[in-house]
Amino acid sequence: MNAPHIRQLPDYLVNQIAAGEVIERPAAAVKELVENAIDAGATSIEIDLRDGGKSLILIRDNGCGMNADELNLATQRHATSKLPDDDLVNINHLGFRGEALPSIGSISRMSIKSKPHDNDEAWEIKIEGGTKHNPTPTAHSDGTTIEIRDLFYATPARLKFLKSARSEYGAVKDTISRIAMAFPHVTFKLSHDGAVKMTLTAQHGDAEAQRRGRLTAILGKDFGENSFLVLAEREGLKISGYSSLPTLNRATTQYQYLFVNGRPVKDRLLLGCIRAAYMDVLHSGRHPLVALYIDIPPDMVDVNVHPAKSEVRFRDAGHVRSLIITALKAGLIEHGQVTSSTLSRQTLGMMQPQSNTPNLPYNRGASPAVPRSYAYPNQQGLGEKRQDFYAPLSAQTPSAQDNLGTFDPSARYEEIDETAPTIKSPLGAARAQLHENYIIAQTKDGLVIVDQHAAHERLVYEKLKNQMDAGDVASQGLLVPEIMDLEDVKINILIEHQETLSKFGLSIEPFGQDTIAVQSLPAALGAKVNIPKLIHDIIDEITEHETTEKLKKSLYEVLSSAACHGSIRSGRRLNADEMNALLRQMEDTESFAHCNHGRPTYITLNLIDIEKLFGRR
């Protein structure tokens, strides 16, 4: 058998192979071209799609533009203006490989029109399936317009794997949204099949104001109102951005956005940091909405580890991880006594008057004018009768109290001095207990509804967690050590973290070649724990995220269960002193606004909003 001959691949095939690495779908082409526009200094970018980008991608920008020679050079492989010193360590631009334009041109019909700001001439260049034509004069305003038709027509195999036009459009919109979050000073306009789908105007003000405005425009008003500023800086590394309150969450990590030096990335390490920070305030597969911006010296991060530049590698990943978790936890602690305003709006929405209620006319003045048919008998004036309804129960006449009937056991009222200082406290003074589970408290400007079980669950959980964090983790020795055979690499991982694991009550020792012995476990885990599964989970966690959070999370879950069972149960009656004591303990506890499962412990209703329900405003 003759050996195959080695040959040089033709340029068009080389470009198609490169396109397969960089351009896997229309969204990838849009990403590369929009990043080029931003690198060119554009402040306004328009994207127009047809058929999800499969038949047409049109991108216009007002960037610096290119002359004929630059157009000709830009469409050659590995031609770029973004590495002036041939330094792959200090990269300060989004696109720097010089592969996007020739790669896209090799699999589509592409034309580029461009005009520099300081030049009176505009030029156009066309590429069809890798065949490039010479630049020709054209008419065009300052900036660049790139038109891509029939993407992947030259590589039909890749075309078969594209999804529906709706799915491809969704991917493009997500890509534009991520880039727009990183560059709030740029205006973006996205159209699909002739209809404008998204317009994001440039934000003004300082960096924080610009980011909050852009994030609110993309993620919605709820995020803008129910997120807190994340800010931390250490040794040249800066973490900034916004993260949602635990009571504003989603079922997936889809709404977690990460940026490194302005570059949108998807990094498992960084997502793991978010999960670790919210570990004891969000359970059961719920995830916060987060947008984090990491600014780091270019020589401390490698952005050249993935063809699409969607992944990065940090020189000191532990330092980055520590600062992210610290910044998020600090924000959670600072805002741990606040619930999402969305909850209050939803509650007020549910309290809207029903259509089957009596349609009694009223005026918005202080004294409603009631028709004679609705008036009371001439036994008492309307104004005096009205005062009875608004007076405290203790101040009503015996006849008025008799007309109210007896209280249902599920609605208990405790008379409390209205001048008590507790009414000025954040959670106010307890007024009643409903259905043996909900405490109604009056505040200075409204009322608060407290879930007594969820609130006490948070109090118990924080107490148990503080004991564990202080090192009071009881260890229980095994009568017969658990012997496990592991690969030498995995054993080395465990031995390297042996001291940290022992602080949580897990004792591991080498036991011959390729074997370890588990000598003790945290007593809180009980006797039915699956030891081999726990050890393998810990190894996987360390390998993937370089942390021992898995064991800590397991212990937190045990504490969560213990707090749930050890807290005040629903259905237990509380007197006024007990209710107020619970409110005061909540106010003295960090993160009291939500239980350890992420559910709210209380809901605030503003007096103004309540009065609107009754037409008093």
Side-chain angles (χ1 to χ4, degrees):
M1 181 178 178
N2 294 329
H5 295 290
I6 299 175
R7 69 184 181 94
Q8 184 78 41
L9 294 177
D11 288 342
Y12 79 90
L13 193 56
V14 171
N15 286 334
Q16 288 182 3
I17 293 173
E21 294 178 348
V22 179
I23 311 298
E24 75 274 9
R25 64 191 307 184
V30 171
K31 173 182 179 293
E32 295 290 337
L33 299 179
V34 169
E35 287 181 346
N36 280 346
I38 292 174
D39 283 338
T43 58
S44 177
I45 302 174
E46 297 182 16
I47 305 98
D48 193 357
L49 307 176
R50 294 291 187 280
D51 196 24
K54 290 184 282 187
S55 59
L56 173 67
I57 298 174
L58 186 68
I59 297 180
R60 306 180 188 89
D61 69 64
N62 63 348
C64 62
M66 295 175 282
N67 58 33
D69 292 337
E70 290 171 332
L71 267 179
N72 194 37
L73 193 57
T75 50
Q76 296 181 19
R77 290 202 71 203
H78 305 306
T80 180
S81 62
K82 301 162 190 176
L83 291 175
D85 302 321
D86 299 334
D87 187 356
L88 276 176
V89 176
N90 292 288
I91 295 174
N92 297 296
H93 297 86
L94 298 176
F96 56 89
R97 292 194 178 112
E99 289 183 320
L101 293 180
S103 296
I104 297 172
S106 70
I107 57 174
S108 68
R109 297 182 175 89
M110 181 172 72
S111 69
I112 306 174
K113 295 180 180 180
S114 191
K115 176 181 174 295
H117 289 246
D118 57 355
N119 199 316
D120 294 333
E121 295 180 333
W123 295 86
E124 179 181 12
I125 192 169
K126 294 183 178 181
I127 306 176
E128 273 194 43
T131 301
K132 184 169 68 172
H133 303 277
N134 291 326
T136 58
T138 188
H140 194 270
S141 57
D142 291 349
T144 302
T145 297
I146 299 180
E147 181 181 292
I148 301 168
R149 291 188 179 274
D150 304 325
L151 189 66
F152 296 121
Y153 92 95
T155 52
R158 176 57 64 91
L159 188 62
K160 293 178 182 178
F161 287 93
L162 293 182
K163 297 182 179 179
S164 67
R166 181 178 297 179
S167 296
E168 296 300 338
Y169 159 72
V172 171
K173 184 177 181 181
D174 179 68
T175 296
I176 296 300
S177 297
R178 291 176 184 273
I179 297 176
M181 289 179 188
F183 298 93
H185 65 282
V186 178
T187 295
F188 293 86
K189 181 180 178 182
L190 174 63
S191 301
H192 185 223
D193 291 339
V196 177
K197 297 294 186 180
M198 180 172 68
T199 301
L200 299 170
T201 57
Q203 299 294 311
H204 303 286
D206 59 21
E208 291 180 8
Q210 288 183 13
R211 285 177 178 171
R212 180 176 279 277
R214 179 55 57 83
L215 292 173
T216 300
I218 295 175
L219 297 179
K221 182 180 178 182
D222 282 350
F223 181 81
E225 294 180 349
N226 301 294
S227 59
F228 56 85
L229 177 65
V230 180
L231 191 61
E233 190 168 1
R234 183 198 303 160
E235 300 175 11
L237 173 64
K238 181 179 179 181
I239 308 295
S240 58
Y242 292 90
S243 191
S244 70
L245 298 171
T247 43
L248 180 64
N249 54 69
R250 297 291 184 267
T252 71
T253 59
Q254 177 184 353
Y255 301 96
Q256 295 180 356
Y257 303 91
L258 306 169
F259 307 89
V260 177
N261 292 346
R263 187 186 307 277
V265 299
K266 297 179 181 179
D267 189 275
R268 289 184 299 177
L269 167 69
L270 303 182
L271 291 176
C273 296
I274 298 173
R275 186 176 65 250
Y278 279 79
M279 183 170 55
D280 65 335
V281 294
L282 271 183
H283 288 219
S284 304
R286 306 301 296 182
H287 306 275
L289 288 73
V290 180
L292 287 184
Y293 301 82
I294 301 171
D295 294 307
I296 186 171
D299 60 343
M300 299 294 291
V301 59
D302 186 359
V303 300
N304 199 25
V305 297
H306 189 276
K309 304 183 290 292
S310 60
E311 297 179 7
V312 295
R313 183 175 295 136
F314 298 102
R315 180 184 295 181
D316 187 353
H319 178 50
V320 176
R321 185 182 186 281
S322 173
L323 190 59
I324 291 177
I325 294 177
T326 299
L328 285 172
K329 283 191 172 181
L332 286 170
I333 290 174
E334 182 180 354
H335 298 85
Q337 300 182 345
V338 181
T339 58
S340 165
S341 63
T342 309
L343 297 172
S344 299
R345 286 200 297 269
Q346 290 174 345
T347 304
L348 288 167
M350 295 176 182
M351 295 171 64
Q352 292 293 341
Q354 301 299 311
S355 59
N356 58 353
T357 54
N359 188 18
L360 301 182
Y362 61 88
N363 293 332
R364 295 185 183 273
S367 300
V370 180
R372 184 175 300 275
S373 58
Y374 293 121
Y376 292 98
N378 294 328
Q379 300 169 345
Q380 189 176 17
L382 176 62
E384 296 158 334
K385 176 62 80 172
R386 180 172 177 271
Q387 293 302 319
D388 281 347
F389 281 113
Y390 287 100
L393 291 181
S394 57
Q396 292 187 3
T397 62
S399 59
Q401 293 191 32
D402 291 342
N403 290 335
L404 291 173
T406 57
F407 280 115
D408 186 277
S410 63
R412 302 176 59 250
Y413 170 83
E414 293 285 342
E415 185 174 343
I416 298 170
D417 182 6
E418 293 200 15
T419 63
T422 50
I423 197 172
K424 299 179 181 180
S425 302
L427 295 181
R431 293 301 192 204
Q433 182 190 34
L434 304 181
H435 298 285
E436 284 78 44
N437 189 53
Y438 300 101
I439 298 172
I440 307 299
Q442 179 183 343
T443 61
K444 185 171 59 176
D445 54 3
L447 62 87
V448 169
I449 305 173
V450 178
D451 182 333
Q452 68 185 38
H453 174 69
H456 196 244
E457 185 178 350
R458 166 55 69 178
L459 300 181
V460 175
Y461 177 73
E462 287 294 328
K463 180 179 179 181
L464 295 175
K465 185 165 67 75
N466 290 337
Q467 292 175 354
M468 190 189 80
D469 292 343
D472 296 335
V473 180
S475 179
Q476 177 178 324
L478 302 177
L479 293 177
V480 179
E482 182 80 18
I483 309 299
M484 293 181 60
D485 295 329
L486 295 171
E487 299 174 16
D488 56 350
V489 174
K490 294 183 177 180
I491 291 177
N492 292 337
I493 290 174
L494 291 173
I495 298 304
E496 185 179 349
H497 294 82
Q498 189 175 17
E499 183 177 348
T500 302
L501 295 174
S502 66
K503 292 180 179 179
F504 293 111
L506 179 62
S507 176
I508 297 174
E509 296 179 0
F511 191 78
Q513 188 175 3
D514 297 338
T515 308
I516 63 164
V518 181
Q519 301 287 355
S520 64
L521 293 171
L525 295 181
K528 295 183 179 180
V529 62
N530 187 331
I531 298 177
K533 183 179 184 303
L534 176 65
I535 297 300
H536 282 295
D537 286 348
I538 292 172
I539 294 173
D540 292 342
E541 183 82 10
I542 295 174
T543 302
E544 185 172 351
H545 302 296
E546 300 182 10
T547 176
T548 57
E549 291 291 339
K550 182 64 180 179
L551 179 59
K552 191 174 183 179
K553 183 178 181 181
S554 297
L555 290 172
Y556 276 4
E557 288 174 353
V558 172
L559 297 183
S560 176
S561 178
C564 184
H565 292 291
S567 60
I568 297 174
R569 309 302 297 175
S570 300
R572 175 178 167 183
R573 291 191 178 189
L574 302 178
N575 60 35
D577 291 337
E578 291 173 326
M579 289 188 284
N580 279 309
L582 180 62
L583 298 180
R584 303 291 81 78
Q585 289 180 46
M586 289 174 64
E587 293 166 350
D588 291 337
T589 302
E590 294 176 350
S591 303
F592 75 73
H594 33 76
C595 76
N596 37 295
H597 300 292
R599 294 190 299 268
T601 59
Y602 77 94
I603 295 174
T604 300
L605 299 179
N606 191 283
L607 183 59
I608 294 176
D609 294 326
I610 296 173
E611 289 179 337
K612 288 179 180 178
L613 287 176
F614 293 95
R616 298 175 64 85
R617 281 184 178 266

